[in-house]
Amino acid sequence: MYPAELVKPMREDLTNVGFEELQTTDAVDNAIAKEGTTLVVVNSVCGCAAANARPGARMSLENAKRPTNLVTVFAGVDTEATNQARQHMIPFPPSSPSIALFKDGELVHMLERHHIEGRPAELIAENLTDAYNEYC
């Protein structure tokens, strides 16, 4: 587990733009089961989360269509919540960071680490906005 003071600014990258932190398995299940669309960001301390995933997720929210619900879990910190979120992302293997879009509880779009790492945040945002335009 990472120290709270280390991950605080990384959490705030998302919570400051409206993401709700989920720290329990029940919170994850309830968020994903909500009617409408739910964006789940599996946050991480890695460089590709800082340079690509979090900025891309934030930029994607500038789209006219956007998810109803914005939530995040933190890999390596909120272990149970992260594992529960990943259960909802099967058949995709666990990866951090990752970003999933659910519609009425069903996984409809997934960005795994290999879709994020080495790609600019603008490309991540474009990928997500295309998904929002289709599902939101």
Side-chain angles (χ1 to χ4, degrees):
M1 184 172 275
Y2 299 102
E5 60 275 3
L6 173 73
V7 300
K8 184 179 186 285
M10 297 173 204
R11 289 182 185 273
E12 291 173 347
D13 258 358
L14 296 175
T15 59
N16 285 344
V17 295
F19 281 83
E20 175 189 357
E21 285 185 281
L22 305 178
Q23 298 178 328
T24 68
T25 58
D26 286 344
V28 169
D29 290 342
N30 292 336
I32 291 174
K34 285 183 179 176
E35 189 173 316
T37 50
T38 301
L39 186 69
V40 179
V41 175
V42 178
N43 203 348
S44 171
V45 298
C46 72
C48 64
N52 313 78
R54 292 191 303 265
R58 287 192 318 266
M59 280 188 253
S60 74
L61 301 178
E62 297 171 10
N63 193 49
K65 290 185 176 182
R66 53 183 277 179
T68 312
N69 309 293
L70 305 171
V71 299
T72 182
V73 295
F74 208 111
V77 179
D78 305 320
T79 305
E80 290 180 9
T82 301
N83 289 342
Q84 189 66 15
R86 288 174 171 161
Q87 286 298 309
H88 290 277
M89 297 173 190
I90 291 174
F92 297 95
S95 67
S96 303
S98 59
I99 305 172
L101 182 65
F102 294 85
K103 182 170 185 173
D104 299 326
E106 179 186 342
L107 180 63
V108 294
H109 188 75
M110 183 74 187
L111 285 174
E112 298 174 84
R113 180 185 178 104
H114 69 89
H115 297 122
I116 296 169
E117 190 172 33
R119 290 180 172 78
E122 294 80 7
L123 190 59
I124 308 294
E126 182 181 327
N127 180 292
L128 291 172
T129 58
D130 287 347
Y132 304 164
N133 290 336
E134 182 174 349
Y135 297 107
C136 297

